[in-house]
Amino acid sequence: MNDLVTGEWLAAHLADVRVVDVRWYLDKTRSGRAEYEAGHLPGAVHLDIDTDLSDPVGPGTGRHPLPTPERFAAALGRAGIAAGTPVVAYDDAGGSIAARLWWLLHVLDEPVAVLDGGQIGRASCRERV
């Protein structure tokens, strides 16, 4: 599995990977969870950058401090991701949000890729559910 996979590759390997929707919005007028619930790729689970892929914000920590190993492991467990599970992450921001999950798994030497293909919006997700 390459760092970037195409939609065609994902369609051919859907049964072999865990698909993770990592949509998140800085403007807070939209909710990644709500977008996920409105439509997502087949079999996808949702992980939130604020609650699953970061520790709580504290003084001097920045917006998204790295999660503790325990917090990250718990989030992965809830998402059905075990050690060695191939993961394909996607968002609707050109991969910039999905890259957080890619990096967190990549530094652990876990099999992970970001879905290449531009914007994954609500309409295209609904078509694939």
Side-chain angles (χ1 to χ4, degrees), residues 28-79:
K28 297 301 180 193
T29 62
R30 298 174 291 166
S31 159
R33 171 58 90 180
E35 292 296 313
Y36 166 80
E37 290 172 357
H40 53 271
L41 297 180
V45 294
H46 183 264
L47 287 177
D48 182 74
I49 193 169
D50 290 325
T51 59
D52 297 315
L53 304 180
S54 300
D55 254 12
V57 174
T61 63
R63 181 179 293 140
H64 294 115
L66 289 176
T68 62
E70 296 80 14
R71 181 183 202 86
F72 187 49
L76 294 177
R78 286 190 303 274

